[in-house]
Amino acid sequence: MSLDTDRRAVIAGALGLGLMPGAAVARAASPAFLWGVATAAHQVEGGNVNSDVWLLEQLSGTPFVDKSGDAIDHYHRFEDDIALIARLGFSSYRFSIEWARVEPAEGQFSDAEMAHYARMLDCCRRHGLTPVVTLHHFTSPRWFAASGGFENQNAPAVFARYAARVVAALGDRIGWLCTINEANLSFAPSPRLRTSAATATGSTHFSTFLFSDTSVSKPIVRACHAAARTAIKAIRPALPVGYTLAMDDVQDSPDAPGRGTAMRSAMYDVWLEAARQDDFVGVQTYTRLVVGPKGPVRLSPETPRTQLGQEVYPAALGGTVRYAAKVSGRPILVTENGVGTEDDALRIRYIDGALAALGACRRDGIDVRGYVHWSAFDNFEWLMGYRPKFGLVAVDRATQTRTPKPSARHLGAIARARRSGPWGSQDL
């Protein structure tokens, strides 16, 4: 992938690593188009001390430019945050359940933490928000990483056990369930990070989701998803289940017809074909990747870019949705789409461009079930810390004051105006 255009490659660059590509099913239960915003537990909750990423943040020489710390304290402030999301006009909230909280030690599940997430789900329902829940959003319990994480052949059974416990306790409150966020995403393993983390945990097999041997981990990730889906469906057959994929709109350059097409197939087809057994595919798109005769084309100096060096290209969403629908044959839920920028006017233009592309997909008959924007709030963006601003709502972390940006009101007004129409409406 291009180091210029992909936000994930920015993380890889910080480490000096290369980005590695990585029976009948039920239809989605709700006919209503979802208009939502998203967060992830580690990026907003704060105090995720039992997770592998928290450990990596603390290591000497860590590549993380900030520590997540209290984040935006969403763990304690979720009621006000969810009420704000609803007031802005949205109909859905995507968030993740933190495995490291729910199962802090192997086989020991926390009823208190399960009750916390039950309160979040109930809060969503009270405010008219359909919860889209992710079981794994990049972070794992420290004990799981120390056992080899997704490089461990026993991981599918362990992950399915966790999924089953969550769904048994909370499944009646969940609207849509994503097992694994951006299941296809990973970076080459960092020997220095693995060594430091192994020393800290006393393990010789420490491996995290983002920094793993992909030749080993990615087939196991797919097996984890399949095992979790089976366990979930045994408990709640009607609950829509899928995973989400990181997808750039991979295109041919004019002087290299077919090169981008071939790269796109190599990057995504195995994941989209595996999703044919799912109820939906979660598409997560930020930009495009143009492929020339020698590989990804580098951006020209005059190309508009985001804070992460991405090309500002909102139409990318149309390309990825079309491709995901074609290969998988499944309904599409846009589970992330957004732009990292301090320029909120640019964010508004990006949103409008992305929705125009998505509307064209629907007019062409593609089964798109919803649009979930990344992100609800400015938050912790992994190795890049708190500098990139993806949020519709600004957060003063000194006071934890939330301030909706004009883009929040803009997208919220669109959601409010159009959420009451029937699913069959072709207009976004």
Side-chain angles (χ1 to χ4, degrees), residues 70-135:
D70 289 334
I72 65 168
D73 196 27
H74 185 62
Y75 186 87
H76 298 104
R77 300 170 186 265
F78 72 83
E79 290 188 359
D80 289 342
D81 288 343
I82 289 171
L84 174 59
I85 290 167
R87 284 199 307 274
L88 287 169
F90 296 102
S91 63
S92 179
Y93 178 36
R94 178 183 175 229
F95 64 93
S96 66
I97 290 173
E98 181 51 61
W99 187 7
R101 295 187 191 273
V102 169
E103 191 180 3
E106 185 171 8
Q108 297 181 30
F109 289 87
S110 170
D111 291 337
E113 294 293 356
M114 209 74 83
H116 168 81
Y117 289 111
R119 289 190 293 272
M120 287 189 68
L121 290 161
D122 289 343
C123 186
C124 287
R125 294 296 187 178
R126 284 197 307 274
H127 288 283
L129 299 174
T130 298
V132 179
V133 170
T134 303
L135 294 178

Side-chain angles (χ1 to χ4, degrees), residues 181-203:
N181 180 71
E182 296 187 334
N184 59 324
L185 180 65
S186 191
F187 304 100
S190 167
R192 178 176 57 80
L193 271 181
R194 284 185 84 139
T195 299
S196 297
T199 300
T201 58
S203 165

Side-chain angles (χ1 to χ4, degrees), residues 274-297:
R276 290 171 182 169
Q277 300 301 310
D278 295 340
D279 298 313
F280 67 94
V281 176
V283 170
Q284 306 195 168
T285 296
Y286 292 85
T287 191
R288 69 172 171 175
L289 174 66
V290 179
V291 183
K294 298 181 179 180
V297 176

Side-chain angles (χ1 to χ4, degrees), residues 160-225:
R161 178 185 64 192
Y162 157 61
R165 289 295 289 263
V166 170
V167 171
L170 306 176
D172 60 333
R173 297 166 164 93
I174 297 171
W176 298 65
L177 188 67
C178 307
T179 57
I180 299 172
N181 180 71
E182 296 187 334
N184 59 324
L185 180 65
S186 191
F187 304 100
S190 167
R192 178 176 57 80
L193 271 181
R194 284 185 84 139
T195 299
S196 297
T199 300
T201 58
S203 165
T204 58
H205 305 291
F206 190 94
S207 176
T208 66
F209 179 84
L210 286 176
F211 311 111
S212 64
D213 180 348
T214 57
S215 66
V216 177
S217 67
K218 288 311 176 185
I220 294 176
V221 166
R222 289 193 291 274
C224 284
H225 166 67

